[in-house]
Amino acid sequence: MTETDEIIEKYRLAGRILSEVRAQTAEKVIEGESLLMVAEFTENLIREKGGKPAFPVNISRNDEAAHSTPSLNDKAVFGKDIVKLDIGVHIDGYIADTAITVDLSGNPELVKAAEAALEAAINFIHAGVNTSDIGGVIDETITSFGYKPIINLTGHGLAQYIQHAPPAIPNKRMPGGVILKEGDIIAIEPFATNGAGKIHDAGSAEIYHIVSEKPVRHPSARKLLVEIGKYKTLPFAKRWLGERIDFAMMALVRANIIRPYPILKEVQGGLISQAEHTVIITKEGCEVITR
Ligand code: CO
């Protein structure tokens, strides 16, 4: 096998693990179940199957679009929510990324809108397609269901230990698209909403990532940075780092060594659905590795 083939095989393995994990996680999302239990179940299952979490499992409910993950002692349980599960697996840094919506809220059409948009995008793409036109297909599909796409969230490329690499895959036709090439690996993730179609930072964060490696004076911060170094440039959960780390975390944020991923919410409080697959672009179409 060439080096490129070996890398592709790692992506495919990450994708296979992920599709099994996604199915088993979705079954756990029921009213009254603890979010923390589901998050830990999912991340442990990934490790049992020989992968590593590429980022903390995102369990975003209702008007939350992304970046919500339980805290260490989280007491939240599922209610009549529309639940987005966004899960990532990596093998040696090669990432597969997928998301589904589990609806406990009675909005099946909203879920279908995101799923149909993802399928339409998958059927549309091949080498030579412009990313802006993918956004057009997603927008038209979601609009045909009577909903709006979230226009300031996008799909993305994937690179080793980099979850959000170029190119962005927009959810609406945008100027300045790029032409996809054979072998490009991208995650397509339409979001549909009955709100305004935009998200904003809601402040609080449980997910962080390293943005620069520089020396830090305080011993507790230095010790924490060694621990965080295991995740390289991938996002990590505060929950993964144990108790009594608030002071050290704050010191690392202040020194601009780590940065939070704030929870993202719909600006009008609209309900949001999401669907996502990771694909490899081929001459004639694409190979979905997270099916
Ligand atoms: Co993604």
Side-chain angles (χ1 to χ4, degrees):
M1 272 204 297
T2 67
E3 197 188 347
T4 317
D5 291 339
E6 274 173 34
I7 290 171
I8 295 291
E9 278 311 309
K10 287 177 183 174
Y11 276 110
R12 286 185 178 132
L13 176 58
R16 276 197 300 275
I17 292 171
L18 188 47
S19 67
E20 294 172 17
V21 168
R22 181 187 56 222
Q24 292 188 51
T25 300
E27 284 174 18
K28 300 278 178 194
V29 177
I30 46 175
E31 259 189 87
E33 184 58 272
S34 144
L35 275 69
L36 179 59
M37 197 291 287
V38 172
E40 288 182 336
F41 166 83
T42 307
E43 291 162 4
N44 288 334
L45 190 60
I46 290 169
R47 294 184 193 102
E48 271 169 37
K49 290 179 181 291
K52 284 184 180 163
F55 49 84
V57 55
N58 285 212
I59 306 177
S60 306
R61 293 179 292 166
N62 306 323
D63 63 335
E64 295 171 345
H67 300 170
S68 196
T69 202
S71 60
L72 189 59
N73 297 304
D74 212 304
K75 298 286 183 285
V77 296
F78 293 108
K80 291 188 174 17
D81 300 316
I82 183 160
V83 182
K84 279 78 64 185
L85 301 169
D86 195 332
I87 317 172
V89 170
H90 80 88
I91 303 286
D92 297 334
Y94 300 105
I95 302 164
D97 186 357
T98 193
I100 53 162
T101 301
V102 180
D103 180 40
L104 309 175
S105 73
N107 285 283
E109 287 298 304
L110 182 56
V111 178
K112 261 191 232 160
E115 287 173 351
L118 176 58
E119 286 310 314
I122 287 171
N123 292 329
F124 174 73
I125 55 177
H126 54 83
V129 156
N130 189 301
T131 52
S132 176
D133 294 330
I134 303 173
V137 167
I138 289 171
D139 183 12
E140 282 152 27
T141 309
I142 290 174
T143 307
S144 77
F145 280 82
Y147 297 109
K148 288 181 179 163
I150 303 272
I151 59 168
N152 56 344
L153 279 176
T154 67
H156 48 89
L158 293 154
Q160 192 181 22
Y161 291 109
I162 302 173
Q163 190 213 345
H164 288 149
I169 311 296
N171 289 320
K172 186 184 172 65
R173 204 176 293 281
M174 296 276 181
V178 303
I179 304 292
L180 293 174
K181 304 182 305 297
E182 197 177 345
D184 282 352
I185 300 180
I186 59 168
I188 307 171
E189 49 182 322
F191 293 81
T193 182
N194 60 4
K198 266 193 168 175
I199 47 91
H200 63 159
D201 287 4
S204 64
E206 288 292 333
I207 303 176
Y208 293 79
H209 67 138
I210 289 191
V211 288
S212 69
E213 291 231 44
K214 50 188 171 190
V216 55
R217 199 171 317 147
H218 201 280
S220 71
R222 203 182 306 146
K223 195 168 146 241
L224 189 66
L225 190 55
V226 171
E227 176 73 16
I228 288 168
K230 284 198 298 213
Y231 306 112
K232 299 198 176 2
T233 39
L234 292 172
F236 58 89
K238 194 175 165 194
R239 159 170 59 83
W240 292 351
L241 304 172
E243 307 269 6
R244 287 186 290 275
I245 52 146
D246 288 293
F247 176 84
M249 286 285 280
M250 271 204 330
L252 293 177
V253 171
R254 265 200 312 268
N256 206 23
I257 293 173
I258 65 171
R259 204 172 287 164
Y261 282 102
I263 294 173
L264 303 174
K265 287 193 180 187
E266 217 286 325
V267 292
Q268 279 184 352
L271 298 177
I272 299 174
S273 64
Q274 178 196 14
E276 179 177 24
H277 274 306
T278 299
V279 308
I280 304 173
I281 303 298
T282 62
K283 209 172 278 170
E284 307 290 328
C286 70
E287 175 189 340
V288 182
I289 65 167
T290 46
R291 197 63 97 183

